[in-house]
Amino acid sequence: TAKLSHTYKTVVTPPTCTKKGYTTYTCSCGDSYVGDYKNALGHAFGEWQVTTPATHTSKGVETRYCSRCDATETRETAKLSHTYKTVVTPPTCTQKGYTTYTCSCGDSYVGDYVSSLGHIYNAVVTKKPTGTEDGIRTYTCSRCGHSYTETIPKQADPVIGIRNYTAAKTVDYKATITFTAEVKNAVSGAAVHWFIDGQDKGTGDSCTESKITNSFTVQAKYMKNGKILSESGVEKINVKTGFFAKLLAFFRSIFDALPRLAQGYAGAEMIEKLIP
């Protein structure tokens, strides 16, 4: 007689995320086989979720979960960028300026250095020197107030005079006179100014008036920055304007022998003796 036909019972093993599914066929006689394979389903991951937040100093972690099994997947996220607030420290006379950058996370650094400004000193004589005591000059910075002092060596006040001075002088008509100043206790930066009839005629150690025809006054002033430090007496120069005086000047001009008051001498009488 013919063999009996197998009567199989089936047991279905469904596919999972990672494994194939299949059906197992088993007969009462014990014969069995596997078939009807179905591909693995693959994971059904959801959205990425932040599990470790990123900071300014470390990376973060995101995780997603499979809705069918307990499988998970992770990935790193970038560090957060620093957001710095700036505080500017301006330069001073002696210290550099700079900018401080500080993030909310506490990270900070210093940059953008600027050179120190340096002092701007204004000098003021706070104690004037005399002939017996030193003076003091004080330097004060107009920006920061820093100050220091220096000693001004003791020095008597300057005195100026006209070396060939007389209280009154009478000279020949069209004479040439040279006055020479003499300064004691000279001051740096000061100069001798010559005043003829009260008008400033310029500076120099001497002053010459040529071919004089009218009387005038002369005075020497020792000045610095427009300030008078000392002044001589006022000398009056009288000119002989009579007929014979002019006639004498005419003849002298012919022989180019006009009288000249030599340095260190004063007085018309002396002139006539020195220069014929």
Side-chain angles (χ1 to χ4, degrees), residues 6-65:
H6 291 291
T7 303
Y8 293 103
K9 290 184 178 181
T10 60
V11 175
V12 176
T13 300
T16 67
C17 294
T18 59
K19 295 180 180 180
K20 291 181 178 181
Y22 55 89
T23 300
T24 302
Y25 294 85
T26 305
C27 180
S28 58
C29 71
D31 183 66
S32 68
Y33 68 94
V34 176
D36 300 334
Y37 288 96
K38 296 184 181 296
N39 292 330
L41 301 175
H43 294 298
F45 287 114
E47 297 293 329
W48 289 101
Q49 300 177 30
V50 177
T51 51
T52 302
T55 68
H56 295 93
T57 57
S58 61
K59 295 180 178 180
V61 177
E62 289 182 337
T63 303
R64 61 182 181 176
Y65 302 91

Side-chain angles (χ1 to χ4, degrees), residues 57-139:
T57 57
S58 61
K59 295 180 178 180
V61 177
E62 289 182 337
T63 303
R64 61 182 181 176
Y65 302 91
C66 178
S67 60
R68 281 193 286 261
C69 68
D70 58 357
T72 61
E73 220 176 33
T74 61
R75 67 179 180 183
E76 284 187 335
T77 57
K79 296 177 184 178
L80 298 179
S81 298
H82 291 292
T83 302
Y84 292 104
K85 290 185 177 180
T86 59
V87 176
V88 176
T89 300
T92 66
C93 294
T94 57
Q95 295 182 335
K96 292 180 179 180
Y98 55 90
T99 300
T100 302
Y101 296 83
T102 304
C103 179
S104 58
C105 72
D107 181 69
S108 67
Y109 70 95
V110 176
D112 300 335
Y113 288 96
V114 180
S115 298
S116 59
L117 302 175
H119 294 294
I120 298 178
Y121 287 110
N122 295 320
V124 177
V125 176
T126 50
K127 181 182 178 183
K128 187 177 179 181
T130 66
T132 57
E133 291 185 352
D134 292 336
I136 297 174
R137 182 178 289 107
T138 301
Y139 294 84

